[in-house]
Each structure stands twice: as structure tokens, then as C-alpha cells.
Amino acid sequence: MDVTVTNPKQNAVHYPPDRRFIVWIRRNFLIALAMLIVLPVVAAWAQYLIAGLPAVPQSYPTAADLTAPAGFPGWLRLAHFVNFLFIVLLARSGLSILMDHPRLYWNSDCTPGTEWMRFTPVEAPMDHIWTAKDDARYISPWLGLPGFRHTIGTARHWHLLSALFWLLNGLVFVLLLLSTDYWMRLVPNSWRIIPEAWALFVHYATFHMPFEPDPYYAYNAMQQLAYFTVVFVMAPLSMLTGLAMSPAIANRFRWYPKLFGGRQAARSIHFLLLLGYTGFFVVHVTLVVMTGFARNMNYIVLGNDDGSLTGLLIGLAGIGFVVAACFVAYWFSWRHPRSLQYLVRRIHSVMRFLFFRHIVPRAQYSEADISPYFWPNGKPPTTDEWQALAANDFRDFRLKVFGLVDNPLELSLEEMKALGPQSQITMHHCIQGWSGVAQWGGLSLAKLIELAQPRPEAKVCVFYSFGEGLYGGDYYDTQSLENAMHPQSLLAYEMNDAPLPPVYGAPLRLRVENQLGYKMVKWIKSIEFVTSEKSVGKGHGGKNEDDEYFDLFPEI
Ligand SMILES: Nc1nc2c(c(=O)[nH]1)N[C@H]1C(S)=C(S)[C@@H](COP(=O)(O)O)O[C@H]1N2
Ligand SMILES: [Mo]
């Protein structure tokens, strides 16, 4: 497959010479993970060799003496298929997202070297600037959606779109399950299920097939426990850990990511759940094939109990449909990324209206939470203008505030400091997946806006940078006036109680804590007030929105 982008700079980013793929796991964690699998198997063998095979049920309820309804109604079969479609899209786009910051941590600082798992052969060099963008890795489009390197804008659209439909499908499924008696098939009604599942596990682990119930009428204990866990434990946990990665939620409800051990622990759990689904899928499909493939496929595809091959053939066609959907998604990602961006933007604007605009960031961390390492991102400016200003510690810098304002401004750093400092310790969330806590000191944006007196038609502030975007051209981004007025919206000239260092955005950088990092323009040169983001750049709201199809309002 070929990258179908015509811009050679973009091609160079998406298809780098170094495409090595490795999986590295910290030894202790690997041992723990192996133990999780090995120990139960060893215990099963020990029991089998010492005490023989434990007793398992030799008969199951059939049609006559059932309490739960038999069979698989249409809604259940459809939900099963829709779930399969979206979980495939979720897994594949998730892998593309993961490769944009190919490291997993249990701490929220993301210091290179502290990860428990990584998908890159590169140890982040410490002797020169190594940005999070440099660190992103290539993934084959056979695995990732849309694949290649640094395609996170599009990958996120697929992920969030699929998550929404997956959630809706799951809700409908669970509601129908609970409003009929079918829930009894999945929800265990006695703790006896645990020893019974263990007895079955001893059979499987020692290569003995236990007596099988006919799944049209009943599941065995292990099967029921596995289905119950996937539907009622893993799926909700995937959604909840997904939400724990949202900057808007984490910086408003600080307790929330803590439920999962912090922002990065939530991300790690989110990934471990993917491994869990994959493991479930492999065992599930193997057993479906081993225990009467054609009959089982008739059950779940057609809902009937005959011995024909019809269910199997239609089921294979269904799998073909999902594979085709992956190809269509790939094609759409590269041919119509803008349409995809705007489709998701429309959905987001509804979610914003209902939900996100009400959650104003206000989290504060303590000094002790400040990250010892903070990933840098973006290209530092190289222009003579910025270098001359930097050489003189930005004493000659004047922030220009212009556009639809009654009081255009030109402010030096000293003048801004004289307007009164504001300080906050907050968590930064980069779209790529890393986070970090830092103290930021600067001028409240609300104060500056009041001073500039925007006219009523001014709805959007544009922040122009001295620096360039990833593919060339000046970096800029926009904020709605409403978001810019939040108490934690800040023009920072200080980081961790020292003047803002050049790599982190000197002389000025933006902090808007309910959004992702790319909205926080560094090396700010000027601020313009306009009626709409459509009049700036390519008109999509920012450099990354223009060139990389990022969201305009990234609150998740
Ligand atoms: N001018 C400019 N500002 C920028 C960027 C950039 O490329 N150019 N990158 C953004 C991104 S993606 C992030 S995550 C943050 C990173 O800030 P940090 O270097 O302080 O971590 O800066 C944002 N601001
Ligand atoms: Mo970022």
C-alpha cells in the first residue's frame, strides 16, 4: 500500500525510513503477565495429576426445564455483529493512536525510561531536543487505521466515531437484555459459578473437552463467566478509562482519573483491555469452530437450529463485510479526510452543546505532582526575528493584540507582568497520548481580553506563533472567546517558577486546560480577534486542524 498524500513533506512524516516495529515489556511486568497465565495452568495440571479431573455437570437444562429463554433473537444477533464491526474499527484505530506515543506508563509524568511497555526501538535521547512528534512510530495500515506514522488526527476520528456507535449498540443490547429474560443467560445467579468454572478450566487446560451444553439453551460456567465479564466488566471499563484520558474531564474532576490510578494508568488499562478482547476473541472463535462450527453459526447468524451450512456462509459473508469496511475506512481516510473531520466535528458540536461547555477546568495539582520530565513538542522558531528577541531575553518583545477590538495593544512582558500574575499547576494532555504536570505563571487571558475590548462581532481569538507547523507554514490556532474567558485560560511566561524556557514556548504560550496540547500555541507572536476561524489559514481552526485534520474542540 502506498501513502496517498501528495505533499512530499507529509509523505516523509507518514512513511519514514525507520519503520522497525518492536514490542518491549519491562521484565517484571512480563513475568507478572506470564505468571497470570502460567500459574493457573500449573495449578490445573497439579490438580489433575494428583486428584484427577474434577466433576463437571453432565447435563444441562434443555427446552423443557429452562428458566432463561432459549435461542438468539434477531436483536441479539444483530447487536453481536454490529459489536464485531465497531470493535474491529476501535482496535485498529486504537493501534494507530497508540503508535503516536508508543510508550505505556503507570505514572502520569511519562518520563522516558519509566514506561512498562513500548513499541519503539528508540530510547529517547537526552542530549538534544527529542520531541513527542520525533518519537511517533510507523504502523502498517494492515494493522492500524489509517496506519502509517503520525496519522493520529484521522485515527482519532475513527476511534471516537466507532466508540459512539459501539456505545449505542452496547446500550441497546443491554437494555433489551434486561427488559427480556435473556439477561439470565449472561448474569450468573450463584457463586457456585466460580468453582464450576475452575473445574471446567482444569479440563480445558489439561486438554480434556468437558461435556458441552447445547449453547442454544445453556452456557457452561466458564462461557457464561467470560461473556458476562466482556459485556458487564470489560466494555464499561474501556469506556470509563477512555473518558479518563479527556483533558476536559481530568482537569475538571481530578478524582476521576485517580479511580484508575491516574491518567496514564487509565491509558495502560485501556490498552490491556484491548489485549483482553483479543485473547477472548481467539478463545471464543476457536471454541465456536471446535464445538460444531456450522450449528453454532446457524445459532448466532440465523437464530435457528438446523444442520445446514447457510449460517456459516452468511456469517463468512458478514466477516467479509467487516474486512471490506476496513478497506473502505482506509480509502476514506486518505481520500476524504476533510469530510471525516467535519463529520466528527458535527457530532462533537452536539456533545459540546450538551455537555462539554458546562465543564469549566479548575483542577489544581500540588508542587509535589510537578513532572520531573515534560515532553517537548513542536518546532522551535528559527527566524532571525525570534532569535534576536531570544538573544535579548525578550526585552524587546511586544505582544500585538489586534483585529476586532476597540483597544488594540502592544504589550511588553514587563507590562504584562504589571497587570498581575496568575499561577496554576495543571496537567497537560497531548493528543499523542502523553501527559505531564507543570506550574504555569502568566497573564489571565480574560484580563487581556477585557483590556483589548473586543467588539460584539468578535467571537474567536487567533494565536499566531513565531514557529512553523510540522509541514511548514506559520503555526497558529484559535479559541472561542467563550473558552478564552475561562479562569484557567492563561498566557504563560513562566514555567515551574522560572522564565518560560525557549523549547517550551518563550516568550509566551497559551494554557487552555480543557483541551489538548496542540491548541496551546507556543512562541506566541500576536493575537487577533475575528468573527470566525474560517477567515484564517485554510479556515479549519488551526495549523493542525488545517494540515492534520485534528478536531477544532478537542475536549476528549
Ligand atoms: N507554535 C507551536 N505551538 C505548539 C506546537 C507547535 O508545533 N508549534 N505544538 C503543540 C503541541 S502538539 C503540544 S502537545 C504542546 C507541547 O507543549 P510542550 O512543548 O510544553 O510540552 O505545544 C503545542 N503548541
Ligand atoms: Mo500535542
Side-chain angles (χ1 to χ4, degrees), residues 118-195:
R118 69 169 176 260
F119 305 84
T120 169
V122 178
E123 306 235 8
M126 288 296 167
D127 56 342
H128 60 269
I129 296 179
W130 179 253
T131 66
K133 294 253 165 52
D134 296 329
D135 205 50
R137 296 300 295 181
Y138 169 90
I139 181 169
S140 160
W142 292 105
L143 261 182
L145 172 66
F148 299 96
R149 178 167 167 272
H150 193 51
T151 53
I152 189 164
T154 316
R156 267 172 58 94
H157 294 325
W158 286 115
H159 204 69
L160 299 178
L161 208 58
S162 307
L164 189 65
F165 287 108
W166 188 60
L167 169 70
L168 289 176
N169 181 60
L171 280 180
V172 170
F173 172 74
V174 169
L175 283 178
L176 283 166
L177 208 63
L178 297 178
S179 63
T180 57
D181 281 341
Y182 281 96
W183 64 269
M184 284 192 249
R185 301 205 56 183
L186 290 196
V187 182
N189 61 1
S190 142
W191 288 106
R192 266 207 327 271
I193 190 160
I194 305 275

Side-chain angles (χ1 to χ4, degrees), residues 374-378 428 430 434 465 475 504 509 517 520 522-523:
F374 200 92
W375 278 88
N377 226 351
H428 180 93
C430 172
W434 57 271
S465 174
Y475 195 96
Y504 294 105
R509 59 117 20 106
M520 305 185 211
K522 307 202 301 189
W523 309 291

Side-chain angles (χ1 to χ4, degrees), residues 473-499:
D474 291 342
Y475 195 96
Y476 78 96
D477 212 295
T478 58
Q479 282 292 323
S480 69
L481 210 52
E482 189 192 355
N483 211 42
M485 290 297 289
H486 286 162
Q488 276 192 339
S489 298
L490 192 72
L491 277 175
Y493 45 70
E494 222 179 66
M495 179 186 189
N496 297 336
D497 292 314

